[in-house]
Amino acid sequence: MADQDQQSTSPSAARADIGVTGLAVMGRNLARNFARHGHTTALHNRTQSRVDELVEQFGHEGDFVASTDLESFVASLKRPRRVMIMVKAGKATDAVIDELVPLLQEGDIVIDGGNAHFDDTRRREQALRAKGLHFVGTGVSGGEEGALNGPSIMPGGSKESYEALGPILESIAVDVDGTPCCTYVGPDGAGHFVKMVHNGIEYADMQLIAEAYDLLRQGLGKTPAELSEVFSQWNEGDLESFLIEITATVLAKTHPSADGTETPLVDLVVDAAEQKGTGRWTVQTALELGVPTTGIAEAVFARSLSGSVDQRRAVQAAGTLTGPSGSLEGAEAEGFVDAVRDALYASKVVAYAQGFDMIQAGSDQYGWDVDKGAMATIWRGGCIIRAQFLNRIKDAYDKDASLASLLLDDYFASAVANAQDSWRRVVATAVRIGVPVPGFSSALAYYDGLRRERLGAALVQGQRDLFGAHTYGRVDKPGTYHTLWSGDGSEERQDTEGQGSHNPH
């Protein structure tokens, strides 16, 4: 770090409350948001034209301090300096940090507002802490509109850094019922971990909505315009959410096709869903933590399948994989829209329950002490998964912070129980008419697995012990045991301390 005397600036020069480096869409909009809320905002970008354009177009929105290089950018910031990095995650972030650190002083704060992997954030936080600097990995959700008008913000790092940074972040976050959608999440990588899980839930939520659309279109033959009305109606009830709202908007949109006729846009879009990696990170991390986030996993795999365009086209051209392509008529069709709505709600509850289970597992693993109710609170607005029932989730964790599963809360247990018959009908119908519903079916399988007193895993343990001597526990007495399968078939107790142990491997 630079010598304090060399880096000192006059009070008039060091006047910016916060600085943003990286002025692509998200960085630019966050900088404007800071300035709109009365914070003098320093600007820096490798391409100088982006700084100049922002000041020229939006300089009237607040007090900006333009810079031509990183040195003048840092010099324009009040102590402790607060620098938000908004560049591409990975090597680009490390490069900016490497350039910044020599210009900073003890107590200064570096904020990464990108979609960084939480392990990278933990590494960077440890490295900067050794230099006397604070590193804050901050999840920012809401897209470019949220960045400008009020996102949901999930900052991790030291509590000391949040004391200096928190009020600024809270001022630009969206406000719901008088509470800003921003709070301290926990140490080192906690903020980016929670944002990762948020994105994983987002994947699951979007997949479930797509399955509902596909079922109603295939099963009932409804047009996109008709389905837009269905989703608009759903958005007025328990399913009210940003994703349901924009689904209605997308389905209502038409565009001229190649022959000039007005066609639903959804019919013109290539059916290959892309992904940037946060959903995949969630699943990989869930596997490492041993948390069954089946809904998120199925959503990631569904995107992967949709993206296997060449393989799908080859299979369709070959015509060898046959199956039903039926529709529902008469009594079968009666009430099916409402049944799909109920199945969607129940499956969404499972997806969120699994996401919050993962937050708890990560918190336990890394000692973060994340408040799950607080996470539900800051997801109520600004973020992509904002939904009415997040208020219910907040209430559930307010009543019992140690709730073993969201599905055990009285409200959600009752809601899912009431939806159960419809849920089962929808999954069975989808199988019969040949519409893939991996999200709905995996959510139902998880629910059934969770509620069962005994699972088929007992047989798996027996198999593992036979071929690999992996041992097993018993329900009738403590201890760990192994059967001499290739010997006389007798059973041996493996632990010597007289206490049962469970071998998860």
Side-chain angles (χ1 to χ4, degrees):
M1 290 184 295
D3 180 83
Q4 186 167 350
D5 292 336
Q6 292 177 336
Q7 285 298 307
S8 62
T9 56
S10 66
S12 59
R15 63 187 184 85
D17 301 306
I18 192 166
V20 179
T21 178
L23 299 178
V25 175
M26 285 293 289
R28 179 186 64 193
N29 283 2
L30 280 171
R32 291 173 60 194
N33 195 349
F34 285 128
R36 284 177 170 187
H37 284 84
H39 306 295
T40 299
T41 305
L43 306 173
H44 173 263
N45 197 78
R46 287 186 182 277
T47 305
Q48 184 62 32
S49 60
R50 286 191 173 175
V51 176
D52 300 337
E53 288 169 4
L54 193 158
V55 174
E56 181 180 352
Q57 295 177 28
F58 306 108
H60 62 280
E61 293 183 337
D63 187 8
F64 295 105
V65 180
S67 62
T68 56
D69 53 55
L70 207 55
E71 288 78 6
S72 61
F73 170 72
V74 170
S76 69
L77 294 163
K78 298 176 185 175
R79 296 289 316 282
R81 299 183 181 96
R82 289 163 283 229
V83 182
M84 176 165 268
I85 300 173
M86 295 299 298
V87 301
K88 187 176 181 179
K91 293 181 179 178
T93 301
D94 282 325
V96 173
I97 292 171
D98 289 344
E99 289 184 57
L100 267 175
V101 167
L103 304 174
L104 300 177
Q105 297 168 254
E106 185 174 345
D108 287 347
I109 305 168
V110 178
I111 311 120
D112 177 12
N115 273 332
H117 193 287
F118 77 96
D119 272 338
D120 286 338
T121 301
R122 298 186 75 222
R123 167 178 58 81
R124 291 164 182 154
E125 192 276 337
Q126 183 178 15
L128 267 64
R129 179 165 23 100
K131 298 178 181 293
L133 301 173
H134 298 284
F135 186 79
V136 178
T138 301
V140 180
S141 180
E144 57 184 275
E145 181 181 349
L148 180 61
N149 298 315
S152 173
I153 308 177
M154 296 151 258
S158 67
K159 288 186 177 180
E160 182 184 353
S161 67
Y162 193 77
E163 292 176 3
L165 179 64
I168 295 179
L169 295 182
E170 290 177 14
S171 72
I172 69 162
V174 69
D175 187 284
V176 176
D177 299 331
T179 301
C181 289
C182 172
T183 192
Y184 175 69
V185 177
D188 55 72
H192 275 145
F193 183 94
V194 166
K195 176 56 162 58
M196 177 188 71
V197 175
H198 163 283
N199 285 19
I201 295 172
E202 178 185 312
Y203 272 58
D205 207 340
M206 294 173 71
Q207 174 64 25
L208 293 169
I209 292 171
E211 290 177 16
Y213 153 78
D214 201 15
L215 271 171
L216 295 179
R217 187 143 194 211
Q218 172 69 31
L220 300 182
K222 287 188 174 293
T223 66
E226 291 171 331
L227 290 174
S228 175
E229 289 298 318
V230 169
F231 279 95
S232 292
Q233 292 170 10
W234 287 356
N235 197 48
E236 296 174 0
D238 288 341
L239 282 171
E240 180 188 345
S241 67
F242 173 70
L243 286 173
I244 295 290
E245 176 188 344
I246 66 171
T247 298
T249 300
V250 171
L251 291 173
K253 182 68 174 176
T254 61
H255 250 294
S257 61
D259 62 6
T261 59
E262 281 294 316
T263 304
L265 177 61
V266 72
D267 288 344
L268 299 174
V269 175
V270 175
D271 60 334
E274 299 178 357
Q275 50 186 314
K276 291 187 175 180
T278 48
R280 186 165 57 249
W281 290 350
T282 308
V283 176
Q284 291 168 340
T285 305
L287 289 171
E288 292 169 359
L289 292 173
V291 182
T293 55
T294 55
I296 300 171
E298 290 295 349
V300 171
F301 291 139
R303 290 197 189 189
S304 298
L305 177 61
S306 76
S308 302
V309 176
D310 291 342
Q311 184 185 42
R312 289 171 55 211
R313 298 295 180 261
V315 169
Q316 291 157 23
T320 56
L321 300 186
T322 62
S325 56
S327 59
L328 303 177
E329 297 178 354
E332 282 187 320
E334 186 175 344
F336 194 63
V337 172
D338 289 342
V340 171
R341 179 201 60 207
D342 291 346
L344 176 57
Y345 187 82
S347 299
K348 280 164 67 80
V349 172
V350 169
Y352 280 71
Q354 291 179 346
F356 278 93
D357 286 349
M358 185 168 174
I359 289 175
Q360 184 62 60
S363 181
D364 291 343
Q365 175 71 22
Y366 299 107
W368 288 331
D369 194 25
V370 177
D371 183 337
K372 291 179 290 185
M375 298 309 99
T377 299
I378 65 172
W379 286 351
R380 294 181 304 163
C383 67
I384 303 302
I385 65 171
R386 58 186 184 267
Q388 182 188 91
F389 82 166
L390 279 160
N391 284 306
R392 299 284 192 180
I393 296 176
K394 175 185 179 299
D395 291 343
Y397 287 119
D398 283 348
K399 285 189 295 182
D400 184 1
S402 61
L403 195 63
S405 169
L406 196 59
L407 290 164
L408 295 177
D409 174 71
D410 290 343
Y411 172 81
F412 288 113
S414 175
V416 172
N418 291 336
Q420 188 174 160
D421 288 345
S422 294
W423 197 6
R424 297 184 187 282
R425 174 192 174 189
V426 165
V427 172
T429 300
V431 171
R432 189 175 63 76
I433 67 175
V435 175
V437 288
F440 282 166
S441 58
S442 69
L444 182 57
Y446 175 85
Y447 175 81
D448 281 338
L450 201 61
R451 70 180 182 82
R452 287 282 300 279
E453 183 178 353
R454 290 278 292 171
L455 294 172
L459 176 60
V460 173
Q461 280 301 93
Q463 293 169 328
R464 294 177 71 250
D465 187 58
L466 187 152
F467 67 68
H470 291 296
T471 74
Y472 52 86
R474 291 182 51 143
V475 298
D476 57 342
K477 56 184 178 181
T480 301
Y481 299 87
H482 167 60
T483 289
L484 301 175
W485 300 96
S486 59
D488 62 6
S490 61
E491 181 181 71
E492 293 182 344
R493 180 165 178 159
Q494 299 298 298
D495 58 323
T496 58
E497 298 299 321
Q499 297 183 5
S501 63
H502 172 63
N503 183 349
H505 306 295

